[in-house]
Amino acid sequence: MGKSILKMKQLPFMVVVCTVMLFVVYRTLKYQYYEEEIDKRWSFLGEQEAYPGTSGNLKGLPRGIIQDTSDFELRPLWSPSSLRSKVSVYSNRHLLAIPVGMKQKHNVDAMVQKFLPENFTIILFHYDANMDGWWDLSWSSKAIHIIAQNQTKWWFAKRFLHPDIVSIYDYIFLWDEDLGVEHFSPSRYIEIVKEEGLEISQPALDPDSGQIHHKITVRARTKKVHRRVYELRGNTRCSEASTGPPCTGFVEGMAPVFSRSAWDCTWHLIQNDLVHGWGLDMKIGYCAQGDRTQNVGVVDEEYVVHKGIPSLGGSGDETAKVLSRGRPTPRHGASVFDERIEIRRQSTWEFEVFKRRWNKAIAADKNWVDPFTSDRKRLRHRKKKNHFS
């Protein structure tokens, strides 16, 4: 009986002790949380106030004045005083960049008239150095025009589409000039890409297009989007087990569309001196910001027609004719200079150089592991690296 009374007397004491301990734990956890939030806030502020990567060159400036990005938006020379204090905010804005020549003026006009009303900024790369012939189009003064004679799309892109310059645009369309857009809606295309989580994409090609190089780019009439192709015949065998281009994780260079993050990566992949871009399409999945079999795809619902008309060095190219005037007439029996053949030879040579550079970079970067190799290959790679280290 006495023991029971003692236990009953100890019970309130234990309750008090437990309550105090819980309170202490609660206060300790709350204090730790508070300290972590303070640290995060200071860390964030510190990051905001820090100089950009080239801080050594910017120490002469007060931090708050530094602006390390730009865009292609046109600014007025003057504006009403009531609007001067208002800062333009651009959201959901996209960029269409096209290399253009006078031969494709009519087709480019149709393309731009589709894109311009859909919150797109337009930039034209004039590879034939003829910009005056475009001023009669109603939208021409709203576009950005850049001239560099006989240069390729990738040459222009590397020099004028730096990630810091296109940072306000959600998606970058880097298209050829010979695409038919009768069945294409830019706004619907953007909707689909966002819904599907595609970082790199392209519109499907109409089966009746003039040029189709890869089966994966052909439109599947019953689908909204497809990410892989199946082909059990020919040199390229594509099955469910295929993990890379051109079976999956692949878009072709004529009409790629990049998210902001994917373009940041792709811009760095473009080689400054390899201007034809051969080989990029096979490696572009490494810029998909994750699994290329999921984040790279072809949009079937919004498709285009690839007319396959040669541009640089093509037949009837007025620029090529002008350049050829300065060449001596070939002797009887001598081979005639053909721009298209020479361009293909240059492209093939650049392709081989690009492959060598890729392999050399892999060999030199001991910490890089291919994210798309199988687990078994990855394990073998690590064992080999550990063995020689």
Side-chain angles (χ1 to χ4, degrees), residues 64-215:
I65 202 64
I66 295 173
Q67 189 168 85
D68 55 358
T69 61
S70 186
D71 55 57
F72 285 111
E73 300 308 298
L74 299 174
R75 310 291 178 178
L77 291 176
W78 63 86
S79 58
S81 56
S82 60
L83 299 177
R84 286 174 188 164
S85 61
K86 296 182 180 180
V87 179
S88 299
V89 177
Y90 295 97
S91 59
N92 299 319
R93 194 148 188 88
H94 318 293
L95 178 69
L96 172 66
I98 319 172
V100 301
M102 286 302 296
K103 286 194 305 177
Q104 297 289 334
K105 179 181 176 182
H106 178 73
N107 194 65
V108 172
D109 182 26
M111 292 172 67
V112 172
Q113 293 201 48
K114 279 263 186 172
F115 280 84
L116 198 57
E118 302 284 0
N119 214 22
F120 274 79
T121 297
I122 309 297
I123 178 169
L124 301 184
F125 301 133
H126 296 274
Y127 60 78
D128 63 354
N130 186 345
M131 192 181 76
D132 291 339
W134 296 79
W135 290 123
D136 61 324
L137 301 176
S138 60
W139 50 263
S140 186
S141 61
K142 300 175 184 177
I144 308 298
H145 299 265
I146 297 176
I147 297 176
Q149 188 163 304
N150 281 343
Q151 300 306 311
T152 71
K153 176 169 70 174
W154 300 108
W155 184 95
F156 281 108
K158 186 67 173 179
R159 284 147 186 82
F160 299 104
L161 301 185
H162 188 280
D164 289 347
I165 302 299
V166 299
S167 61
I168 73 164
Y169 306 109
D170 293 339
Y171 292 94
I172 292 91
F173 288 59
L174 188 58
W175 282 18
D176 287 355
E177 61 183 333
D178 60 342
L179 300 176
V181 293
E182 293 81 4
H183 308 286
F184 185 82
S185 166
S187 57
R188 177 57 184 152
Y189 185 90
I190 294 294
E191 287 179 12
I192 295 172
V193 165
K194 289 181 177 179
E195 290 169 2
E196 297 288 333
L198 298 178
E199 296 285 335
I200 302 174
S201 62
Q202 74 161 84
L205 302 184
D206 188 295
D208 296 328
S209 294
Q211 274 191 6
I212 295 178
H213 300 114
H214 300 279
K215 187 177 178 181

